[in-house]
Structure formats: C-alpha cells, structure tokens
C-alpha cells in the first residue's frame, strides 16, 4: 500500500493530476499507519503474526 501510494504520488506530480496526488498521499499515510501497528505486535484486520 505504501509503494502504491508513492507511485501514485510520483505519477500525479509528473502529470499534474491532482486526484492521483491526493489518493497517493492517503494510501501512503494509511499504509504507514498499518505498517507501524503491525510492527508493534497489534493484530491488524484480524491478522496475527506468530514470530
């Protein structure tokens, strides 16, 4: 999700399409939040990691 957000940010910036820029920011922020929660050991969306 973070990678898709960054790709949309770059494409939106290069083409000047504002909606791609906005969606890219939202995806990057949500992906970063989920990544941080998952790395802290919280179950995200009902998924648990046992390592």
């Amino acid at each position: 999700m973070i990678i898709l957000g960054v790709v949309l940010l770059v494409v939106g910036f290069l083409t000047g399409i504002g909606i791609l820029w906005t969606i890219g920011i939202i995806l990057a922020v949500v992906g970063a939040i989920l990544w941080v929660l998952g790395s802290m050991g919280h179950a995200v969306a009902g998924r648990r990691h046992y390592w």
Side-chain angles (χ1 to χ4, degrees):
M1 189 178 287
I2 295 173
I3 295 173
L4 180 62
V6 170
V7 168
L8 287 176
L9 278 171
V10 171
V11 171
F13 179 73
L14 293 177
T15 60
I17 301 174
I19 191 70
L20 289 180
W21 180 259
T22 304
I23 293 172
I25 290 173
I26 292 170
L27 283 178
V29 169
V30 170
I33 290 171
L34 290 176
W35 177 52
V36 168
L37 285 175
S39 68
M40 289 186 345
H42 292 258
V44 177
R47 297 186 175 122
R48 293 184 184 164
H49 300 282
Y50 295 106
W51 62 76

